[in-house]
Amino acid sequence: MNILVIDDEDGLRRSLCAYLEDLGYDTLDASNGKEGLDAMHTVLPDLAAVIVDLNMPVLDGYGFLQQARLEAPELPIIVLSGVGVVDDALQAVRIGAWDFLTKPLHNLSVLAHTLNKVIEKARLIRENREYQTNLEQLVHERTAELERTRRQIMHRLSRAAEYKDNETGHHVIRVGEIAAVLAQALGLDEADCANLRDCAPLHDIGKIGIPDEVLLKPGKLNPVEWKIMQQHCMFGCEILGPLTSKEEAHSSCEQWDRKDLDGNELLDLARTLALLHHERWDGSGYPFGLAEEDIPLAARIVAVVDTYDALASERPYKEAFPEEKCLAIIRESSGSHFDPEVVEAFFANIESIRSIRVRWQD
């Protein structure tokens, strides 16, 4: 364990080094602060402590302290200076000294005690830092594991709804993947795109609550059945976390747009999408008749993607439409059903969208 002694008194310096070597320490010595810094550089980070005088030529103890604090902030430094200089001691402690001893040292055991104390303090600081680092890493790993588990559960929950009318479950995967592509094109950051990819597949989770005779009816729904079908938005909301009013729903949308959420970010987003993916740009949608930018961007994106993929997919009540017809419907619905900006992003990324449909085809 290395101890650096810095003092311009040769005799005292040699005496201190000899005493410390008798205690089992390895020593280095310097006659001024500049030499002390040079010596310090040769042994860091294996330097256990420094003993430094204040009044020295070339670079005094204050100058050494200030520079050493910058280069090695956790290095224990003991100041050794003349009797009766309390103000000097206080100034030295303010700029980084760990302790202060006065000359002459009549009892060197005081130095040994002080040295043991500061070295032990440094050890505890080092161990605490390592503990905190390890703890933070452990928390990070556990949080990441919890996040992976949460996302896996949400994915499987989305499949549960899709199996009722599309046993492959690929529709919800396509909706998530395409929604993420559009989100990126519209300037959302990487985290928002990832969240949308994971949450968009839950947009139809409320279909779990729709009777099979309505959900799987091979034909057009009558007005009563259509009212029942529309309830899947509220059902989905209730499954993921209840919203009981238009005002509360609107508040949730604004919260997601501001990233100012009170609950779990993923569930808040999934709940918003389940509730509002059938709202329309012109205000004629359901369940609340929200219009334009009162509908959160994520729900506007999913509205386009869900409609496109549903048109292009076979369902119990319809055959899959040709791509040309699907694209024509999307384009014609810009400004009425859909946000024109989202539709523009859709067509700008049509090749990526086609690739996703091929990769996840039913």
Side-chain angles (χ1 to χ4, degrees), residues 19 21 29 48 146 202 216 223 236 339-340 349 352:
Y19 176 72
E21 287 167 2
D29 67 283
L146 179 62
L202 286 163
L216 305 179
D339 178 351
N349 291 272
S352 296

Side-chain angles (χ1 to χ4, degrees), residues 76-325:
I77 301 177
I78 300 170
V79 165
L80 183 62
S81 196
V83 177
V85 286
V86 176
D87 289 342
D88 291 346
L90 291 175
Q91 183 180 352
V93 169
R94 289 190 189 102
I95 63 175
W98 288 39
D99 212 328
F100 188 95
L101 296 176
T102 57
K103 296 178 181 178
L105 274 174
H106 298 294
N107 187 350
L108 289 178
S109 64
V110 174
L111 173 61
H113 173 75
T114 302
L115 195 57
N116 289 336
K117 184 174 64 176
V118 298
I119 290 175
E120 175 65 11
K121 179 181 176 181
R123 183 186 67 82
L124 293 174
I125 290 173
R126 185 170 57 253
E127 289 183 355
N128 183 66
R129 184 184 66 251
E130 293 171 354
Y131 172 78
Q132 291 294 332
T133 299
N134 292 336
L135 183 61
E136 289 172 4
Q137 179 62 28
L138 181 61
V139 169
H140 177 76
E141 291 173 357
R142 292 291 185 267
T143 300
E145 181 180 350
L146 179 62
E147 186 69 12
R148 286 193 298 270
T149 301
R150 182 184 292 122
R151 290 177 185 272
Q152 290 171 358
I153 291 172
M154 292 179 69
H155 175 68
R156 283 157 177 73
L157 186 60
S158 69
R159 295 288 297 273
E162 190 62 16
Y163 272 122
K164 290 199 69 176
D165 66 340
N166 176 15
E167 65 181 17
T168 69
H170 287 175
H171 167 67
V172 295
I173 297 175
R174 291 192 297 266
V175 169
E177 294 294 329
I178 298 172
V181 169
L182 297 191
Q184 183 179 36
L186 290 164
L188 276 70
D189 63 30
E190 184 177 348
D192 285 339
C193 293
N195 287 344
L196 189 54
R197 177 183 291 109
D198 289 332
C199 293
L202 286 163
H203 67 284
D204 271 341
I205 187 65
K207 287 183 177 179
I208 290 174
I210 302 300
D212 286 353
E213 58 268 23
V214 174
L215 183 66
L216 305 179
K217 181 179 179 180
K220 186 176 181 180
L221 301 179
N222 62 42
V224 174
E225 293 168 335
W226 180 236
K227 285 293 185 183
I228 294 173
M229 177 62 80
Q230 288 180 331
Q231 291 177 345
H232 80 275
C233 295
M234 293 302 298
F235 290 162
C237 172
E238 292 291 332
I239 290 169
L240 296 168
L243 295 175
T244 57
S245 68
K246 177 176 179 178
E247 290 73 21
E248 190 177 352
H250 197 186
S251 173
S252 177
C253 301
E254 291 176 340
Q255 285 179 338
W256 186 81
D257 281 343
R258 296 194 316 265
K259 312 287 186 298
D260 181 22
L261 300 170
D262 294 327
N264 177 273
E265 183 176 5
L266 287 175
L267 286 178
D268 280 329
L269 175 56
R271 181 178 58 197
T272 297
L273 298 178
L275 185 67
L276 302 177
H277 67 283
H278 282 296
E279 297 289 354
R280 299 168 69 106
W281 183 253
D282 63 6
S284 63
Y286 64 88
F288 300 125
L290 301 178
E292 299 188 0
E293 293 184 1
D294 282 345
I295 309 166
L297 177 58
R300 284 179 265 150
I301 291 172
V302 170
V304 173
V305 177
D306 181 40
T307 301
Y308 165 72
D309 196 74
L311 291 171
S313 303
E314 184 178 351
R315 289 291 185 267
Y317 51 85
K318 63 176 268 306
E319 296 291 331
F321 289 179
E323 184 187 42
E324 295 78 9
K325 184 175 181 180

Side-chain angles (χ1 to χ4, degrees), residues 44-59:
L44 282 177
D46 298 323
L47 185 59
V50 176
I51 301 168
V52 61
D53 189 14
L54 288 179
N55 298 312
M56 297 179 293
V58 185
L59 181 67

Side-chain angles (χ1 to χ4, degrees), residues 182 308 323 327 345-356:
L182 297 191
Y308 165 72
E323 184 187 42
L327 297 181
F346 175 89
F347 282 100
N349 291 272
I350 191 62
E351 293 304 323
S352 296
I353 293 169
R354 286 169 177 155
S355 297
I356 291 170

Side-chain angles (χ1 to χ4, degrees), residues 35-69:
E35 291 180 4
L37 288 173
D38 293 339
M40 182 185 78
H41 295 153
T42 66
V43 291
L44 282 177
D46 298 323
L47 185 59
V50 176
I51 301 168
V52 61
D53 189 14
L54 288 179
N55 298 312
M56 297 179 293
V58 185
L59 181 67
D60 63 15
Y62 299 113
F64 174 84
L65 271 167
Q66 290 171 334
Q67 188 61 33
R69 289 297 88 201

